[in-house]
Amino acid sequence: MEKLETKGRREIVSLFDAGTFVEMGAYIRRRGEADVYDAVLCGYGAIEGKLTFAFVQDSDRKAGALDEIGAAKIEKLYEQAVRNGAPVIGVFDSAGAVVYDGATALSAYGRVMKCVSNASGIIPQIAYVSGVCGGMAAVIASMFDFTVTAEGESALYVNAPNVVGGKADAATARVSGLSAITAADGASAVAAVRELAALLPSNNRDVADVEWVDAPDRPVMIEGLSGLDLIRAVADNARAVTLYEGYGDEIVTALAQLGGRLCGVISTDATMNDGQITAAAARKAARLVSFCDSFSIPVVTLVDSTGVAAANDPEQATAFAKLASAYTTANCAKISVVTGKAYGAAFTLLGSRALGADLALALPASVISVMPPERAVAFVWNDQITHTESRADVEAKWLETYATPTAAAENGDIDDIIPAEELRARLCAALYMLSEKADCYPDRKHGVLPL
């Protein structure tokens, strides 16, 4: 059968290593129709040598409309992907469903939703919105682990903008947290999808080989660094894939390798409102922790925050609860480092020992306090301010007495205080130590009898 040179075919072929794409179900089509193709194109191939499955809604084929035939093809693709433990990439560009199919068309969306849900946490799933992705298709794309959009090309919405007003472009998806990566154009989006697929494990049982690409004991200069700059300073070759940039930017979330091991890295950005945690920032951090735990990817948390944002936001409590639950329930390796300030709830919520961190570290110059020192003095030590001892003197005394990492370490809330230049080396060593961490306490028949 002649292969039609369409937008969808070009997109799906571009995802894979050259010459590796193989189409699945090429001859499947609606009965009684003259067209020798269906709107959904499915297949598999290699991305950086790794087996990967993909489907695309081809807007050049029946406007990419989804029907029961397309849903059946996607179901078969997912069955193969899960059985073979390989990631799935979905490319969304469609005018919607085949309207005259009625309830059958609606069920087609439901069948695809079920596939995505059943595969969640088993294999990585990456959605690329290459054109229009509206209605229930937007729901499906949002169910994937990561959604990639392209400026000027992507439109992601449940209700059409001409009905409810507003915009539904890539920029809107970015600031609302719908898009994990927003690329400058289609080619950059495809490159981002390929990078994610190559970086992530193939499935939840996959143990990635450690590839030494950068010296694990390389000293780092991190003074004054925060957020993404700090992540890049400690990451292998200063490379990190930033996720959800533009949404809750008080916290930066990224995927990076440390000592050859893939990690999810969460770092507060002290340049954004002193790194104070907002509801949006908490949600995206919780999302990354949850994803990493599903695939046993270690989580590294770098804390430099003056607490939670003072905002009249009723969603804060729920968002913070999700963050606490994500850290508490995660069984993956978890390492936290206080690199600057850690005031109040910021210390507790961001991967603290109390929430189950395997290792909690701090830098010598870090400040760990129940509340900002100036507020603490005003609250409990205000009577110590006299004509011979100024407020600054009393605040300095508070810092030295109650807000040092040593005080936290003496109570067991911090495991060690490390030199700043050794941060990368200590993180890599900790990741090596935790590389064989079991999800639960190992079973045994009985202990060994003493001689």
Side-chain angles (χ1 to χ4, degrees):
M1 185 178 71
E2 182 182 357
K3 303 296 184 183
L4 299 175
E5 184 61 25
T6 61
K7 179 175 181 285
R9 176 167 288 278
R10 289 191 297 271
E11 287 172 340
I12 199 168
V13 170
S14 69
L15 292 172
F16 297 103
D17 299 344
T20 65
F21 172 67
V22 179
E23 186 173 354
M24 300 169 60
Y27 290 89
I28 297 176
R29 63 185 186 275
R30 292 171 67 93
R31 292 183 180 180
E33 290 196 359
D35 291 334
V36 292
Y37 53 80
D38 185 66
V40 174
L41 182 63
C42 296
Y44 60 90
I47 295 181
E48 299 295 326
K50 180 190 296 184
L51 174 65
T52 307
F53 289 79
F55 68 87
V56 58
Q57 292 179 290
D58 192 344
S59 58
D60 285 349
R61 294 170 153 193
K62 304 178 180 177
L66 183 68
D67 59 8
E68 61 177 332
I69 301 299
K73 291 175 69 173
I74 293 173
E75 283 177 318
K76 290 182 179 179
L77 179 138
Y78 263 95
E79 181 182 359
Q80 291 281 13
V82 171
R83 286 183 179 276
N84 286 280
V88 168
I89 298 170
V91 183
F92 294 84
D93 184 9
S94 170
V98 179
V99 178
Y100 51 78
D101 279 0
T104 302
L106 300 178
S107 295
Y109 280 107
R111 288 160 60 185
V112 176
M113 289 176 187
K114 184 179 180 181
C115 288
V116 177
S117 179
N118 288 345
S120 181
I122 300 175
I123 54 174
Q125 300 177 82
I126 305 167
Y128 167 34
V129 180
S130 67
V132 176
C133 181
M136 286 189 287
V139 176
I140 295 172
S142 299
M143 292 173 68
F144 278 56
D145 298 316
F146 302 108
T147 301
V148 178
T149 57
E151 295 283 1
E153 300 181 17
S154 304
L156 183 62
Y157 57 84
V158 174
N159 294 298
N162 64 328
V163 176
V164 297
K167 295 181 178 181
D169 54 11
T172 305
R174 178 174 179 262
V175 298
S176 61
L178 292 174
S179 177
I181 297 176
T182 305
D185 50 41
S188 300
V190 169
V193 171
R194 282 180 51 86
E195 184 176 22
L196 273 177
L199 191 61
L200 296 173
S202 292
N203 54 70
N204 62 354
R205 296 296 181 186
D206 184 26
V207 179
D209 294 331
V210 175
E211 183 179 354
W212 297 94
V213 295
D214 193 357
D217 58 350
R218 170 173 55 82
V220 292
M221 298 296 293
I222 61 172
E223 184 177 357
L225 298 185
S226 186
L228 183 57
D229 291 335
L230 180 57
I231 294 174
R232 285 176 172 161
V234 299
D236 291 354
N237 295 331
R239 293 188 60 186
V241 178
T242 314
L243 304 170
Y244 304 105
E245 188 176 3
Y247 175 75
D249 283 339
E250 295 80 9
I251 288 180
V252 176
T253 52
L255 293 170
Q257 289 182 313
L258 279 81
R261 288 176 170 80
L262 175 65
C263 300
V265 188
I266 295 167
S267 176
T268 56
D269 189 345
T271 66
M272 297 286 296
N273 194 27
D274 292 328
Q276 293 184 358
I277 311 172
T278 61
R283 280 194 291 266
K284 80 174 188 179
R287 167 85 176 191
L288 182 61
V289 173
S290 177
F291 171 80
C292 288
D293 186 47
S294 293
F295 294 94
S296 299
I297 299 170
V299 174
V300 174
T301 308
L302 307 172
V303 185
D304 184 4
S305 169
T306 59
V308 300
N312 184 19
D313 185 356
E315 294 185 9
Q316 274 190 325
T318 301
F320 297 160
K322 289 180 179 178
L323 181 59
S325 295
Y327 274 111
T328 302
T329 58
N331 291 319
C332 59
K334 294 173 288 187
I335 305 166
S336 64
V337 186
V338 180
T339 62
K341 299 173 181 176
Y343 293 169
F347 176 77
T348 306
L349 290 173
L350 292 172
S352 65
R353 256 297 194 183
L355 292 186
D358 298 292
L359 194 65
L361 307 172
L363 302 188
S366 60
V367 182
I368 303 171
S369 180
V370 174
M371 61 181 70
E374 61 274 12
R375 194 181 305 167
V377 168
F379 187 61
V380 296
W381 275 11
N382 206 46
D383 58 337
Q384 296 190 23
I385 301 171
T386 65
H387 65 282
T388 59
E389 193 166 17
S390 68
R391 178 173 293 276
D393 293 333
V394 176
E395 289 176 1
K397 183 179 176 181
W398 175 275
L399 283 169
E400 294 173 2
T401 306
Y402 295 109
T404 65
T406 302
E410 288 174 350
N411 294 326
D413 297 308
I414 293 293
D415 293 301
D416 201 0
I417 302 168
I418 62 173
E421 62 271 15
E422 295 182 11
L423 176 57
R424 171 177 160 81
R426 293 297 296 270
L427 286 173
C428 291
L431 290 167
Y432 175 77
M433 180 268 291
L434 293 166
S435 60
E436 299 297 327
K437 177 186 175 184
D439 291 341
C440 58
Y441 201 79
D443 293 330
R444 69 173 180 175
K445 186 175 182 181
H446 56 70
V448 178
L449 186 69
L451 184 61

